C-alpha cells in the first residue's frame, strides 16, 4: 500500500493549534516563524510517527525519505550540507510532546559534527575552541542519550581535565584541552557502548531521532506523566532545527525569559541569562546565571529586540509566555516559546489581570485556572506573626521558586526521600541542584531545597509544575551530599534527619519546625468576605473567577455534612444543601450502649424499648441540621455500616469474658454480647449485612430513623422554618428492597401527619452504589424520587477490590505498570464505573424524567470527576465542605470548556 500519511511538517505548515500532532514545541516554533519572528529554520516529525515507532520498534514506512527530503530543503536554504567537511550544517534534535514535560525526554545538539567537519566549523567560526567544545558536547549528549553511556562517566573525565589544569569552570579549558577531551570521550564511548561514535552525519541524525522517540517511554518521562496525569499513548514529536550557537564567545549566550513573573503574575522582565553557553546549561542550573535585566548592559540591541518580541508574543497568545532564546554573535534567535507554566497563585492573578485588561473574557479566565490550582491555594502557609517561621531565625535565603510551607526532615538523595516518605516521614529533599533522575525523590518530598540554579532551573520548573514548595539557589549553603549534611553561613550544620522548614514564598530556610497557618484563600471562603478595592489581589482574583463559575455552572453543589457545625461551615463554602448526611456517628459514643441493647434484644418489646431511646436523640440531631440548612435540601441516609461496627471488638470481648470466667465472676451481659458479636461476625463485612439489608432484617430500625426525620421536620415547621429533608436508602441492589423501605416510610409519614396535623410527605430515594443497582436503574427509579451515586462503593464493587485495603497493598505497582493513571478512588474511572453511572442516569431518567440525580462519593470534590458528572448530566455534586470551592469552580469550568469545545476553539487546557 502506498504511504499516504505525512510524517514531517515544515514550520510554514504548522501552527500553535497543532500541538497534538507537532507537540507543543513544534507547534509554537511554527507559530513564531509564521509571525515573522527570528526562528532558525527546521522541521518537525509528528507524534504519529513516534507512536508508529513505539508500536513496531521501527520507523514507519516513508519516514526516512520524508526526512531526507526536508533535510535537503534545509540544506539548500542554509547553503550548506549536514556535516559538510569545510562548512558543516549542524542541527539540534529535540523532543517536544503535546504537553510540556521539562527535561523529561532527550535532546541532542550539534548533530553533524565529526572528525573532519570539526575542522570546517573551526575555520568558519574562526574559533578552534568553540568547534572542539561543540564536538565534545555532541559526544557527551550522544553518548549518554543515544548510546546509553552513564552520563557521570563523561562528567568525571571533564572534571579530571579541569582538575589537572587547576580550572574552576569549563570556560577555562582551551582548544587543546577540549580536543584531548574529545579523544577521551570517543574512547569512552567505544569502550562503554561497544561501538564507535558514528562519523556519518545522517546516521547520527537517524540514531538521535530514534533515541528521542524511545525517550517517551523512559522511566523519568513515565513517572512525570503519571504525576501530571498525562496519558501514556501520545508520543513525542521531534524537532530538527539548524543550530545557532550561544557558545561563540562573550557576545553570544543563551537564556530563558517570562513575559510575566511566573510566581506572582506581575508583568515585568523575568528570566536568566548565561553568556557564552549552549542551551541546556541554563535549565540544568550548572553554572549560575545572571538576571535577564543584566542583558541590557551586556547587549542592549538584543535586549531591546527580546523585549519587543516578548510583547508580540504576549499579545498574540494573550497569556504568559515563556521563551528560550540564543544570541549568536549579537543576533537574537528564538528557540522556543510556550504558554508558560505558572504557580497556582499566578494562574489566578494572571487570568484575572488579563480579564481586567479586556484581553480575555471571564469565560476564558475560568478556563485558564483549574480546581487543583485552587486546592493548592487553600493549603496552609507559615505563620508570620512571630509565632511561626518569624520566630525562627532564617539560616539561609534562596530563591522563592514555588510557594507554600514545607516542614520535614532533611534528606540528601532521592532514594532516601522515597524510603522515608514511604515510612510516613515528612522529608525535604536537599540537593546542590536537581536533575531529572531526582524526580521520584521530588515527588516523595514535602519540599525541595537547592543551593544552585535560578527560577528556571530544573528544581524550580518541576516543583512549580507539581505544586510543590521549592527554594532554589540558596548559594550560601554548602551542600555535601556524600556526608549527608549542609552547612549554613554562620556555621549551622544540618544533618540528615534534622527538621527544617522551607518557605517557598519568601525563599527562607529555617532550622526546626515552624507552625503553619491556614491560607488566606481558605479564610476568604470560610468567612465569605467580599473583597473590596484595596483587598489582596489574589483574593480578588479568586473571588472574580469563582463568582463567574457560580454564574456559569449548571450543576448545584451540596456538602457531605453530618452535624449542624459541619452544615454551617458548608454554607460558608457555598453549599446549596446537604447531599449526604451519614447517620452512623449518631450511634457512637454514649449511644453505643443503646445499639448494644438493640442487638441483644430478643423480643419485639425489648427492641422497641431500645429504639424508643434512640428516637428523640436522632430527632434532635436532625432538627439541628435542618435548622442550620433551613430552606435547602438535606439528604439523610439511613444507617449503612454493619452493626458489629458499633459493638465491642470480638477479640477484646472474648478476652474479657474468658478472664471473668477464670475469676469466677458473673458476666452474663458480656457473655450475651459476645454471642451477638460472634453471630454478627462476617468475613467480608463490606459485602455483608449492611445498608438496606439491615433495614430489612432489624425490624423497626429504619422506621425509627424515618420517624425521627419526619418529627424533626414537624418541629422545624412549627418553629417557622422551611425544612427539606430527603430520606436516602443505602446499598440498594434491587427495586424490591427499596419498595419495602419506601412503603414503611410512607406508613410512618402518614402516622406522623395524623399525630401532628402537619403534612409530612418527604422524598425517598436511593444511593446507586452497586453495579446491580446501576444495571437495573430503570426499575429502581420506579420507587425512587432521587438517585445519589455512591461512587466509593460503586468503585469498590465494580473493580471488586476493598476500598479499605488495596490502596496500600497494590496501587503503587498498578500505577507503575500503567494499569491506573490515577487511583480510581481519587478520580472516577470513566471507562468502567463511569459507564455504569451514565447507564443509570439514562435509565433512571427514562423511567422518571424529573428524577433528581447527584453524586456523594469522594469523587464529588475531584476536579476531573466533577467535569465528568457535568458531562453525564447530573444535577449536583456533593463533597466535603473544604472541597466545595473546587467543585464550584470545576462545575463552572465544565460549562465553559464544553462551550469552547463545541465552538472548536478556545484554550481547553
Ligand atoms: C459511597 O459509597 O460513595 C458513599 C458516599 O457512601 P460511604 O462512603 O458512606 O459508603
Ligand atoms: Mg457507600
Amino acid at each position: 500500500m502506498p504511504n499516504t500519511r505525512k510524517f514531517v511538517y515544515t514550520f510554514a505548515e504548522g501552527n500553535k493549534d497543532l500541538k497534538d500532532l507537532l507537540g507543543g514545541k513544534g507547534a509554537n516554533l511554527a507559530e513564531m516563524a509564521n509571525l515573522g519572528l527570528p526562528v532558525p529554520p527546521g522541521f518537525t516529525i509528528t507524534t504519529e510517527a513516534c507512536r508508529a515507532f513505539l508500536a513496531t520498534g521501527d520507523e514507519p514506512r516513508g519516514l526516512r525519505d520524508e526526512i531526507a527530503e526536508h533535510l535537503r530543503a534545509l540544506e539548500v536554504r542554509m547553503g550548506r550540507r549536514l556535516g559538510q567537511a569545510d562548512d558543516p550544517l549542524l542541527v539540534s534534535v529535540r523532543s517536544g510532546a503535546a504537553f510540556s514535560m521539562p527535561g523529561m525526554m532527550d535532546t541532542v545538539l550539534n548533530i553533524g559534527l565529526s572528525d573532519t567537519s570539526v575542522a570546517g566549523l573551526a575555520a568558519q567560526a574562526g574559533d578552534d575552541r568553540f568547534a572542539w567544545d561543540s564536538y565534545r558536547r555532541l559526544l557527551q549528549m550522544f553518548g549518554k542519550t543515544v548510546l546509553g553511556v552513564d552520563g557521570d562517566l563523561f562528567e568525571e573525565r571533564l572534571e579530571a581535565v579541569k582538575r589537572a589544569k587547576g580550572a574552576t569552570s569549563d570556560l577555562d579549558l582551551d582548544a587543546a584541552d577540549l580536543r584531548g577531551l574529545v579523544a577521551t570521550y570517543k574512547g569512552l564511548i567505544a569502550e562503554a557502548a561497544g561501538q564507535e561514535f558514528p562519523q556519518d552525519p545522517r546516521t547520527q541524525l537517524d540514531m538521535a531521532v530514534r533515541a528521542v522517540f524511545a525517550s517517551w517511554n523512559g522511566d523519568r518521562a513515565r513517572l512525570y506523566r503519571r504525576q501530571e496525569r498525562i496519558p501514556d499513548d501520545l508520543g513525542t514529536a521531534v524537532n530538527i532545527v539548524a543550530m545557532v550557537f550561544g557558545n561563540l564567545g562573550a557576545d553570544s549566550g543563551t537564556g530563558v525569559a517570562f513575559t510575566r513573573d511566573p510566581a506572582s503574575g506581575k508583568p515585568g522582565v523575568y528570566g536568566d541569562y548565561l553568556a557564552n553557553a549552549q542551551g541546556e546549561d541554563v535549565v540544568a542550573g550548572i553554572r549560575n546565571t545572571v538576571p535577564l535585566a543584566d542583558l541590557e548592559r551586556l547587549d542592549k540591541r538584543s535586549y531591546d529586540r527580546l523585549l519587543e518580541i516578548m510583547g508580540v508574543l504576549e499579545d498574540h497568545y494573550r497569556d504568559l509566555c515563556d521563551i528560550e532564546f540564543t544570541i549568536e554573535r549579537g543576533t537574537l534567535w528564538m528557540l522556543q516559546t510556550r504558554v508558560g507554566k505558572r504557580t497556582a497563585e499566578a494562574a489566578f492573578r494572571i487570568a484575572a489581570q488579563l480579564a481586567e485588561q479586556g484581553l480575555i473574557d471571564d469565560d476564558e479566565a475560568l478556563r485558564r485556572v483549574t480546581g487543583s490550582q485552587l486546592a493548592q491555594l487553600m493549603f496552609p502557609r507559615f505563620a508570620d506573626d512571630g509565632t511561626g517561621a518569624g520566630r525562627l531565625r532564617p539560616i539561609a535565603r534562596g530563591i522563592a521558586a514555588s510557594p507554600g510551607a514545607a516542614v520535614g526532615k532533611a534528606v540528601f538523595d532521592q532514594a532516601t526521600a522515597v524510603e522515608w516518605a514511604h515510612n510516613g516521614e515528612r522529608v525535604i529533599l536537599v540537593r546542590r541542584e536537581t536533575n531529572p533522575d531526582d524526580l521520584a525523590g521530588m515527588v516523595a518530598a514535602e519540599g525541595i531545597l537547592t543551593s544552585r540554579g535560578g527560577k528556571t532551573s530544573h528544581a524550580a520548573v518541576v516543583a512549580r509544575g507539581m505544586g510543590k514548595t521549592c527554594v532554589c539557589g540558596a548559594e550560601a549553603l554548602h551542600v555535601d551530599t556524600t556526608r549527608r549534611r549542609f552547612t549554613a553561613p554562620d556555621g549551622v550544620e544540618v544533618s540528615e534527619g534534622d527538621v527544617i522548614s522551607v518557605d517557598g514564598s519568601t525563599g527562607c530556610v529555617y532550622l526546626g519546625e515552624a507552625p503553619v497557618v491556614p491560607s488566606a484563600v481558605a479564610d476568604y471562603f470560610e468567612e465569605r468576605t467580599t473583597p473590596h478595592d484595596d483587598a489582596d489581589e489574589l483574593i480578588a482574583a479568586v473571588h472574580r473567577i469563582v463568582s463567574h463559575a457560580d454564574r456559569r455552572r449548571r450543576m448545584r453543589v451540596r456538602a457531605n455534612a453530618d452535624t449542624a457545625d459541619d452544615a454551617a461551615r458548608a454554607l460558608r463554602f457555598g453549599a446549596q444543601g446537604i447531599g449526604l448526611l451519614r447517620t452512623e456517628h449518631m450511634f457512637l459514643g454514649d449511644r453505643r450502649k443503646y445499639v448494644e441493647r438493640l442487638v441483644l434484644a430478643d423480643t419485639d418489646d425489648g427492641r422497641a424499648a431500645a429504639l424508643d431511646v434512640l428516637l428523640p436523640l436522632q430527632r434532635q440531631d436532625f432538627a439541628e441540621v435542618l435548622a442550620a440548612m433551613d430552606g435547602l435540601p438535606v439528604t439523610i441516609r439511613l444507617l449503612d455500616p454493619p452493626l458489629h461496627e458499633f459493638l465491642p471488638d470480638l477479640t477484646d470481648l472474648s478476652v474479657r469474658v474468658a478472664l471473668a470466667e477464670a475469676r469466677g465472676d458473673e458476666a452474663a451481659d458480656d457473655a450475651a454480647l459476645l454471642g451477638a458479636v460472634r453471630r454478627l461476625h462476617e468475613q467480608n463485612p463490606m459485602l455483608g449485612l449492611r445498608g438496606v439489608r439491615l433495614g430489612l432484617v432489624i425490624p423497626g430500625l429504619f422506621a425509627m430513623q424515618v420517624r425521627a426525620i419526619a418529627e424533626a421536620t414537624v418541629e422545624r415547621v412549627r418553629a417557622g422554618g422551611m425544612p427539606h429533608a430527603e430520606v436516602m436508602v443505602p446499598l440498594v441492589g434491587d427495586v424490591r428492597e427499596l419498595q419495602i423501605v419506601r412503603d414503611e416510610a410512607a406508613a410512618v409519614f402518614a402516622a406522623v401527619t395524623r399525630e401532628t396535623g402537619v403534612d409530612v410527605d418527604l422524598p425517598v430515594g436511593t444511593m446507586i452504589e452497586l453495579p446491580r443497582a446501576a444495571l437495573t436503574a430503570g426499575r429502581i427509579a420506579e420507587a425512587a424520587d432521587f438517585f445519589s451515586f455512591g461512587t466509593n462503593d460503586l468503585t469498590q464493587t465494580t473493580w471488586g477490590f476493598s476500598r479499605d485495603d488495596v490502596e496500600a497493598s497494590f496501587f503503587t505497582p498498578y500505577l507503575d505498570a500503567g494499569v491506573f493513571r490515577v487511583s480510581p478512588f481519587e478520580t472516577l474511572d470513566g471507562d468502567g464505573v463511569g459507564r455504569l453511572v451514565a447507564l443509570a442516569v439514562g435509565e433512571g431518567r427514562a423511567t422518571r424524567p424529573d428524577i433528581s440525580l447527584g453524586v456523594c462519593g469522594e469523587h464529588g470534590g475531584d476536579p476531573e470527576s466533577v467535569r465528568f458528572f457535568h458531562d453525564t448530566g447530573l444535577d449536583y455534586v456533593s463533597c466535603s465542605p473544604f472541597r466545595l470551592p473546587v467543585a464550584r469552580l470545576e462545575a463552572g469550568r465544565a460549562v465553559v470548556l464544553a462551550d469552547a469545545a463545541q465552538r472548536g476553539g478556545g484554550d481547553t487546557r
Side-chain angles (χ1 to χ4, degrees):
M1 233 177 52
N3 170 48
T4 49
R5 278 186 299 177
K6 173 175 165 63
F7 291 120
V8 183
Y9 283 65
T10 63
F11 291 161
E13 291 169 317
N15 67 60
K16 69 176 175 23
D17 298 323
L18 291 182
K19 277 199 204 110
D20 290 345
L21 188 65
L22 303 179
K25 189 175 289 167
N28 288 319
L29 278 172
E31 189 80 9
M32 284 199 292
N34 294 332
L35 281 171
L37 302 181
V39 174
F43 53 89
T44 304
I45 304 171
T46 63
T47 54
E48 201 182 346
C50 175
R51 288 194 294 273
F53 175 86
L54 293 174
T56 63
D58 220 341
E59 284 94 353
R61 201 141 55 93
L63 177 60
R64 285 181 64 86
D65 293 344
E66 266 193 80
I67 293 178
E69 197 183 301
H70 282 81
L71 185 60
R72 236 177 348 262
L74 182 64
E75 289 173 336
V76 169
R77 180 153 175 204
M78 303 298 288
R80 292 176 279 158
R81 284 193 328 280
L82 183 69
Q84 184 177 315
D86 59 346
D87 185 8
L89 167 66
L90 304 185
V91 296
S92 61
V93 176
R94 291 173 189 267
S95 56
F99 297 92
S100 138
M101 296 168 56
M104 297 303 145
M105 288 179 298
D106 290 338
T107 286
V108 187
L109 306 180
N110 305 338
I111 291 279
L113 272 178
S114 63
D115 293 351
T116 36
S117 65
V118 67
L121 182 68
Q124 286 298 329
D127 186 342
D128 272 6
R129 185 196 179 281
F130 155 71
W132 288 103
D133 186 44
S134 303
Y135 195 19
R136 73 95 189 157
R137 285 170 188 267
L138 169 63
L139 290 167
Q140 191 164 349
M141 275 188 261
F142 197 94
K144 181 175 174 207
T145 60
V146 182
L147 299 173
V149 180
D150 180 356
D152 286 347
L153 299 177
F154 292 99
E155 286 299 336
E156 279 168 18
R157 279 44 174 194
L158 177 62
E159 285 304 315
V161 175
K162 281 180 10 194
R163 240 189 345 266
K165 249 211 126 165
T168 50
S169 150
D170 347 342
L171 294 180
D172 301 331
L173 301 182
D174 62 21
D177 300 325
L178 293 163
R179 187 183 190 134
L181 198 55
V182 162
T184 309
Y185 279 2
K186 284 203 300 194
L188 170 62
I189 288 176
E191 191 191 310
Q195 69 184 99
E196 300 287 335
F197 171 73
Q199 292 290 319
D200 172 49
R202 178 65 207 258
T203 307
Q204 292 173 9
L205 181 65
D206 289 341
M207 289 174 77
V209 169
R210 278 172 162 248
V212 172
F213 280 160
S215 68
W216 173 261
N217 275 337
D219 290 347
R220 292 190 319 246
R222 294 162 76 106
L223 177 60
Y224 184 83
R225 286 200 294 274
R226 206 172 79 205
Q227 191 65 24
E228 299 294 311
R229 300 186 175 192
I230 297 172
D232 267 330
D233 55 2
L234 302 178
T236 179
V238 184
N239 300 289
I240 297 177
V241 183
M243 285 296 306
V244 288
F245 295 97
N247 54 339
L248 264 173
D251 57 353
S252 303
T254 186
V256 293
F258 297 95
T259 57
R260 288 167 191 253
D261 182 351
S264 73
K266 292 205 179 71
V269 181
Y270 296 90
D272 304 295
Y273 182 69
L274 195 56
N276 201 6
Q278 204 171 34
E280 307 308 291
D281 298 351
V282 180
V283 181
I286 287 167
R287 265 192 272 147
N288 278 333
T289 53
V290 298
L292 184 60
D294 288 8
L295 181 61
E296 183 169 21
R297 186 170 43 74
L298 297 170
D299 180 353
K300 172 121 177 67
R301 225 180 52 135
S302 299
Y303 178 79
D304 289 345
R305 177 81 176 115
L306 180 65
L307 255 51
E308 186 192 323
I309 290 174
M310 281 161 62
V312 170
L313 287 173
E314 205 180 91
D315 283 351
H316 183 71
Y317 283 86
R318 298 178 302 136
D319 206 342
L320 171 147
C321 296
D322 77 23
I323 293 161
E324 278 181 28
F325 65 92
T326 279
I327 299 173
E328 181 182 283
R329 293 191 165 152
T331 303
L332 175 68
W333 292 98
M334 307 303 292
L335 299 190
Q336 172 175 327
T337 193
R338 65 183 168 207
V339 167
K341 287 202 185 255
R342 62 204 67 190
T343 60
E345 179 173 339
F348 274 85
R349 284 173 184 269
I350 293 171
Q353 284 162 10
L354 294 173
E356 187 63 37
Q357 287 169 24
L359 275 172
I360 58 174
D361 63 16
D362 279 307
D363 276 7
E364 181 61 26
L366 180 54
R367 280 190 283 270
R368 288 188 181 187
V369 296
T370 66
S372 320
Q373 286 169 333
L374 182 57
Q376 273 177 42
L377 292 180
M378 295 177 72
F379 288 147
R381 58 179 172 74
F382 288 130
D384 52 10
D385 58 358
T387 63
R391 199 179 39 124
L392 299 172
R393 202 170 49 83
I395 54 171
R397 187 185 279 262
I399 295 166
S402 186
V407 179
K409 293 184 172 169
V411 292
F412 293 86
D413 66 277
Q414 67 99 14
T416 310
V418 170
E419 189 190 322
W420 289 24
H422 187 75
N423 294 336
E425 300 270 17
R426 292 183 302 163
V427 299
I428 307 281
L429 180 64
V430 186
R431 304 281 293 161
R432 260 198 297 272
E433 70 238 347
T434 63
N435 67 47
D437 296 331
D438 292 318
L439 192 65
M442 298 172 79
V443 171
E446 300 287 314
I448 297 138
L449 170 63
T450 70
S451 58
R452 298 168 82 173
K455 263 195 178 163
T456 46
S457 64
H458 177 266
V461 172
V462 174
R464 258 200 311 275
M466 289 195 237
K468 210 148 256 198
T469 300
C470 175
V471 169
C472 63
E475 288 181 43
L477 297 182
H478 178 73
V479 178
D480 185 342
T481 48
T482 322
R483 291 211 175 83
R484 296 170 177 272
R485 66 175 187 217
F486 71 79
T487 321
D490 53 5
V492 176
E493 273 208 359
V494 176
S495 303
E496 185 169 82
D498 292 346
V499 173
I500 55 172
S501 301
V502 173
D503 190 334
S505 310
T506 62
C508 286
V509 182
Y510 305 90
L511 182 60
E513 174 165 358
V516 288
V517 291
S519 87
V521 172
D523 280 354
Y524 149 69
F525 282 115
E526 181 93 48
E527 301 307 324
R528 295 189 58 74
T529 49
T530 307
H532 33 83
D533 286 350
D534 59 357
D536 180 88
E537 192 196 342
L538 172 63
I539 303 293
V542 169
H543 176 76
R544 175 179 186 135
I545 294 172
V546 175
S547 307
H548 187 66
D550 284 338
R551 284 191 293 275
R552 295 291 272 134
R553 66 187 158 86
R554 175 185 59 73
M555 284 196 297
R556 278 163 289 129
V557 295
R558 297 198 198 174
N560 294 355
D562 300 347
T563 64
D565 280 351
D566 282 356
R569 181 150 202 246
L571 282 175
R572 292 195 295 274
F573 279 107
Q576 295 167 293
I578 290 180
L580 173 62
L581 185 153
R582 291 180 169 101
T583 51
E584 12 301 356
H585 76 100
M586 299 173 178
F587 292 79
L588 296 173
D590 290 349
R591 303 182 187 178
R592 202 186 266 269
K593 56 179 178 285
Y594 304 121
V595 181
E596 287 182 12
R597 277 183 215 159
L598 178 67
V599 173
L600 291 177
D602 41 19
T603 62
D604 285 351
D605 285 352
R607 210 172 289 118
L611 289 170
D612 280 352
V613 185
L614 283 165
L615 175 68
L617 299 172
Q618 289 252 284
R619 186 196 312 131
Q620 177 67 16
D621 295 331
F622 297 144
E624 283 171 12
V625 179
L626 289 172
M629 275 281 158
D630 197 45
L632 296 171
V634 177
T635 306
I636 300 171
R637 183 177 73 185
L638 304 181
L639 192 65
D640 182 14
L643 278 185
H644 75 82
E645 284 198 10
F646 305 98
L647 300 178
D649 178 74
L650 176 62
T651 318
D652 292 352
L653 190 60
S654 304
V655 171
R656 212 157 73 204
V657 171
L659 287 175
E661 278 171 7
R663 283 195 306 267
D665 290 352
E666 181 66 24
D669 281 358
D670 275 355
L673 191 56
L674 180 60
V677 172
R678 283 215 179 100
R679 205 170 55 244
L680 290 169
H681 182 75
E682 292 171 317
Q683 293 297 342
N684 287 310
M686 290 302 265
L687 297 176
L689 179 60
R690 54 173 284 220
V692 68
R693 301 159 197 167
L694 277 179
L696 298 201
V697 303
I698 311 271
L701 174 63
F702 276 12
M704 178 279 289
Q705 289 199 289
V706 171
R707 178 171 273 275
I709 297 168
E711 290 181 357
T713 297
V714 171
E715 188 179 315
R716 289 298 310 144
V717 169
R718 286 187 173 148
M722 295 223 313
H724 291 289
E726 302 174 338
V727 176
M728 181 153 78
V729 186
L731 220 73
V732 163
D734 184 89
V735 63
R736 184 73 198 129
E737 292 171 307
L738 181 60
Q739 193 59 56
I740 294 169
V741 178
R742 193 182 176 98
D743 291 346
E744 194 178 17
V748 173
F749 296 151
V752 172
T753 303
R754 232 179 9 254
E755 290 158 21
T756 62
V758 176
D759 196 19
V760 188
D761 185 14
L762 306 177
V764 177
T766 180
M767 310 257 317
I768 300 287
E769 52 185 343
L770 294 175
R772 194 177 191 286
L775 293 167
T776 61
R779 291 294 314 280
I780 292 180
E782 291 165 12
D785 297 312
F786 61 87
F787 286 167
S788 178
F789 289 93
T791 47
N792 304 333
D793 273 310
L794 193 57
T795 299
Q796 157 170 272
T797 49
T798 300
W799 279 91
F801 48 43
S802 156
R803 59 198 259 198
D804 299 308
D805 303 311
V806 291
E807 300 213 43
S809 70
F810 66 79
F811 270 29
T812 305
Y814 261 48
L815 288 161
D816 286 342
V819 181
F820 303 147
R821 186 172 52 87
V822 55
S823 159
F825 287 117
E826 187 183 333
T827 295
L828 193 82
D829 152 36
D831 295 341
V833 180
R835 281 194 74 194
L836 287 172
V837 173
L839 180 91
V841 165
E843 299 207 346
R845 283 227 170 91
T847 300
R848 190 185 283 255
D850 64 346
I851 192 166
S852 158
L853 301 170
V855 56
C856 61
E858 279 307 298
H859 304 91
D862 170 69
E864 198 176 318
S865 313
V866 169
R867 295 200 299 281
F868 177 91
F869 296 131
H870 168 88
D871 294 340
T872 312
L874 295 196
D875 299 309
Y876 68 87
V877 293
S878 188
C879 58
S880 62
F882 198 71
R883 299 178 89 187
L884 281 164
V886 170
R888 288 160 59 193
L889 185 86
E890 287 292 352
R893 287 188 77 228
V895 174
V896 296
L897 287 170
D899 276 4
Q902 210 172 25
R903 282 199 315 272
D907 184 350
T908 51
R909 275 168 295 173

